[in-house]
C-alpha cells in the first residue's frame, strides 16, 4: 500500500467473493509512504477475495486471487 499522506484511522479487511468478512488484516494509523501487510496465506482456501481499505470517508477495494499450491517433500 502506498499512501500520499498519513491516515490516522485505517481498516484493512479481507472479504470473500460473497462480500463476507474473512478476517481483519490491519486496524490503526499509517504514515505517508509505502507499507506491506502480511496475509496468512496458509490459512486461506484458494479462490477470489477482496481486500478492502477504508479510512471512514473513502473505501478502496482490490481483487485478490489465492492459488493453491503443493509443497514438495
Amino acid at each position: 500500500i502506498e499512501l500520499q499522506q498519513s491516515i490516522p484511522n485505517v481498516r484493512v479487511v479481507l472479504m470473500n467473493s460473497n462480500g463476507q468478512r474473512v478476517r481483519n488484516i490491519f486496524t490503526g494509523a499509517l504514515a505517508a509512504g509505502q507499507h506491506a501487510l502480511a496475509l496468512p496465506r496458509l490459512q486461506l482456501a484458494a479462490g477470489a477475495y477482496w481486500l478492502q481499505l477504508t479510512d471512514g470517508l473513502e473505501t478502496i477495494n482490490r481483487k485478490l486471487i489465492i492459488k493453491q499450491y503443493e509443497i514438495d517433500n
Side-chain angles (χ1 to χ4, degrees):
I1 299 171
E2 185 169 356
L3 301 175
Q4 299 299 318
Q5 61 187 26
S6 297
I7 301 176
N9 189 20
V10 175
R11 187 177 74 202
V12 181
V13 176
L14 185 67
M15 301 171 75
N16 66 19
S17 59
N18 293 325
Q20 299 168 315
R21 183 174 49 206
V22 173
R23 97 173 354 131
N24 291 325
I25 302 300
F26 178 84
T27 302
L30 288 175
Q34 291 187 354
H35 301 274
L37 302 173
L39 290 174
R41 165 59 186 101
L42 295 177
Q43 300 171 2
L44 296 173
Y49 293 87
W50 289 95
L51 199 58
Q52 182 182 75
L53 183 142
T54 185
D55 66 358
L57 299 174
E58 185 178 356
T59 299
I60 299 169
N61 293 297
R62 296 290 184 259
K63 192 171 189 176
L64 178 68
I65 304 294
I66 301 291
K67 295 182 180 181
Q68 188 169 4
Y69 67 96
E70 294 181 23
I71 299 174
D72 293 332
N73 291 329

